[in-house]
Amino acid sequence: MTTLEALMNAPAPASAWVLAQDCAETGLNPDDVRAEMARRIGEMRASVERGLRSDARSITGMVGWNAKGLWDAPDVLGAPLLRRVQAYAMAVNEENARMGRIVAAPTAGSAGTIPGALLGVADHLGLPDERLVDPLILAAGVGKAISKRMFISGAAGGCQAEIGSSAAMAAAAVTELLGGSPRACVHAASLALMNTIGLVCDPVGGYVEVPCVSRNAFFAVHAVSAAQLALAQLESFIPPDEVVGAMASVGRLMPAELRETAEGGLAQTPTGLAVTARMEGREETGGMIELPMA
Amino acid sequence: MSLLDMIGPVMIGPSSSHTAGACRLGLVAHHLLGEAPRRAVIGLHASFAKTGRGHGTHLALVAGLLGYGPDDPRLPRAFEEAEAAGLSVEFRDVDLGDVHPNTAHIELHGAEHSVTVQGSSTGGGVIRVTEVQGLGVNFSGSSPTLLLRYADAVGMIARVASTVAADGVNIAALTCTREARGGRALLAIELDQALSPEALAFLNRWPDMNWVRPLPKLMDG
């Protein structure tokens, strides 16, 4: 049974243990999994690059220019890592919203968090993509351990289950990339999760655009922060598996209106309702919906 | 669920449940039809009906019917590709009762055969097929799956299972449903590996066997 506790106490590097465990379970060949993960890093990078260049609008017209806008803007805070991580994350989700090709990680709505954090940190430090294969395997292992106790979709557990999981996965990956122990990697994941509990899934009109695109930017930074804390030996006071249990429990307590139904939160603001009405009014037109926003 | 399902699928946006999962449901019908599709009637339930069009659910379903995977660059052009391939598609909003909100009912016709598939997209590109040819099933496409229609008779499951065993293939899960005693039955067998062409041909030759369809593994892990 893959638990965060078992992962935390695994021999270093944590990713090697995760890969061996998973291949024993699925019968897949470890070299094939590593090769496929390397290909997926290439896919993530391609989606970042396309997303940073394009300002084409998404299906609904609600997003599409944010990543490029940030990437082209001056770095007013003198925080190039921060801007890079945010722009990469939004680039992936905007690419997703305009029906571009992305890697769901673990879902499409949360697809920007891992590339934002992992590729963003690697590029900031000048590390090659080959170094990212093992951290990505660890990210997958953390996601798998979470999914054993908790659904990873917003519809099942709120956004905490979706972007909370991706942030935890990204935090562990960045920690391993920077040389953290298995214990530090799992505590990074736990710290990231602790701070997402209760997060609702309230997509405007039901589409993974608002607040999802900016939320991926925030949570990619959140993951990097968690890695920084864990690399400085800070730990989650509540044991990591108990944090996952708490998140599952909050997910069950959360009303359906706050779990991807577009019946609560931002989706029910006057603007959210207007977007929903306009989208539903165009159901019969077929094909893609053109919805220029005011 | 393997590591490659946690980081993946590689897919065309926007939604893993509304787009990638929908495409995989279409792929199930594509493989079960076993010939070029000519006409499809797709019933969309609840969330698939309500927010599907903006999510590209319609395109993804049609892409799957054409045999395209969730990462196929032709997915956003699926309607044009269908027209070029001679496939006409009709969408209907339907109420399928107490099922997952992301559920589709697909009726697919080719020149010789027809197939009906009902299934749900449960998140992250994962699907669950709940009905084939009007009979209940329960499989995810995460491993090669063999579907058989036959006239119910004593010992059929044992005969099929021994053919699978003789092929050196392990059975992971099995569901069997029949309309009535001695009536039409449907067997869905999830396998560790695909069955050999010889074993499939052997099953196909049985006089009481109406229909044998191998479904390849549709997930990454």
Side-chain angles (χ1 to χ4, degrees):
Chain A
M1 171 76 177
T2 319
T3 60
L4 292 177
E5 175 83 21
L7 182 52
M8 187 160 71
N9 294 311
S15 55
W17 185 82
V18 160
L19 185 60
Q21 292 282 313
D22 194 65
C23 289
E25 201 177 299
T26 60
L28 294 173
N29 178 315
D31 292 340
D32 293 347
V33 174
R34 291 191 87 255
E36 184 55 32
M37 285 293 183
R39 195 177 76 80
R40 286 181 187 192
I41 286 164
E43 292 282 359
M44 285 178 173
R45 185 165 288 291
S47 65
V48 166
E49 283 169 5
R50 283 194 307 272
L52 290 178
R53 278 197 308 267
S54 174
D55 57 6
R57 290 185 173 206
S58 66
I59 294 164
T60 66
M62 289 190 282
V63 297
W65 56 90
N66 304 279
K68 186 175 190 302
L70 176 63
W71 193 238
D72 293 344
D75 175 17
V76 287
L77 286 173
L81 171 67
L82 184 71
R83 187 175 62 156
R84 185 182 289 275
V85 165
Q86 289 188 320
Y88 282 19
M90 286 198 291
V92 174
N93 283 81
E94 289 195 313
E95 191 60 12
N96 179 55
R98 60 172 85 91
M99 297 233 14
R101 188 177 157 106
I102 55 99
V103 184
T107 62
S110 63
T113 305
I114 292 174
L118 194 57
L119 298 179
V121 167
D123 288 359
H124 180 72
L125 299 175
L127 303 173
D129 283 0
E130 300 86 80
R131 290 274 304 277
L132 307 182
V133 175
D134 291 327
L136 193 62
I137 286 170
L138 176 59
V142 168
K144 196 174 159 178
I146 293 171
S147 72
K148 298 261 180 193
R149 295 185 66 171
M150 173 73 189
F151 293 109
I152 52 162
S153 75
C159 205
Q160 55 167 10
E162 193 156 330
I163 208 154
S165 298
S166 68
M169 292 159 73
V174 170
T175 305
E176 179 162 306
L177 177 69
L178 301 180
S181 65
R183 186 174 180 88
C185 292
V186 172
H187 276 287
S190 185
L191 288 163
L193 262 190
M194 277 173 80
N195 208 35
T196 56
I197 288 179
L199 188 64
V200 305
C201 180
D202 53 353
V204 171
Y207 296 97
V208 284
E209 300 188 14
V210 174
C212 318
V213 169
S214 57
R215 197 167 275 177
N216 272 266
F218 286 116
F219 279 87
V221 174
H222 180 72
V224 175
S225 303
Q228 174 139 306
L229 297 183
L231 285 161
Q233 313 300 320
L234 274 77
E235 296 196 342
S236 155
F237 178 77
I238 304 295
D241 287 306
E242 292 184 27
V243 174
V244 177
M247 187 171 75
S249 144
V250 171
R252 282 191 293 272
L253 290 168
M254 206 177 264
E257 287 81 356
L258 303 178
R259 286 187 273 126
E260 211 189 348
T261 53
E263 288 169 352
L266 296 170
Q268 289 292 308
T269 56
T271 300
L273 289 171
V275 170
T276 307
R278 287 160 77 183
M279 300 298 288
E280 287 179 353
R282 299 288 293 270
E283 286 283 308
E284 297 80 29
T285 56
M288 301 309 247
I289 294 170
E290 295 294 331
L291 189 78
M293 300 296 287
Chain B
M1 182 71 78
S2 90
L3 297 176
L4 294 173
D5 299 316
M6 296 306 308
I7 303 290
V10 178
M11 57 168 282
I12 306 292
S15 163
S16 42
S17 54
H18 285 83
T19 319
C23 178
R24 282 173 168 158
L25 289 173
L27 271 176
V28 172
H30 167 86
H31 288 293
L32 294 185
L33 184 66
E35 62 175 316
R38 295 277 177 84
R39 191 168 71 83
V41 181
I42 303 179
L44 298 171
H45 172 80
S47 175
F48 262 11
K50 200 174 168 195
T51 70
R53 205 173 284 284
H55 274 134
T57 305
H58 299 60
L59 293 165
L61 280 160
V62 172
L65 295 181
L66 293 167
Y68 307 165
D71 65 337
D72 196 300
R74 294 170 294 182
L75 191 148
R77 300 194 310 271
F79 290 164
E80 292 93 310
E81 299 281 349
E83 204 177 337
L87 166 64
S88 70
V89 186
E90 185 189 326
F91 288 101
R92 289 177 185 161
D93 290 356
V94 292
D95 182 352
L96 298 170
D98 185 21
V99 295
H100 191 283
N102 292 330
T103 298
H105 183 276
I106 304 169
E107 184 188 312
L108 188 62
H109 305 276
E112 287 185 46
H113 304 284
S114 294
V115 68
T116 65
V117 173
Q118 184 170 310
S120 310
S121 171
T122 60
V126 176
I127 60 165
R128 184 137 297 275
V129 180
T130 51
E131 217 181 280
V132 168
Q133 307 291 62
L135 288 170
V137 291
N138 180 12
F139 63 87
S140 66
S142 61
S143 56
T145 305
L146 181 65
L147 287 107
L148 309 119
R149 287 296 308 270
Y150 55 87
D152 176 44
V154 172
M156 275 300 281
I157 295 175
R159 283 166 63 198
V160 171
S162 58
T163 304
V164 172
D167 206 34
V169 175
N170 193 23
I171 292 177
L174 182 152
T175 54
C176 182
T177 326
R178 64 178 182 183
E179 283 164 340
R181 188 181 294 196
R184 295 183 309 155
L186 177 73
L187 187 58
I189 313 177
E190 292 178 80
L191 304 164
D192 282 356
Q193 301 106 46
L195 218 57
S196 71
E198 295 74 26
L200 283 172
F202 178 68
L203 289 169
N204 246 320
R205 282 199 297 271
W206 297 358
D208 34 12
M209 190 66 71
N210 310 127
W211 184 86
V212 177
R213 289 287 184 279
L215 182 69
K217 175 171 147 169
L218 299 175
M219 300 292 287
D220 297 322

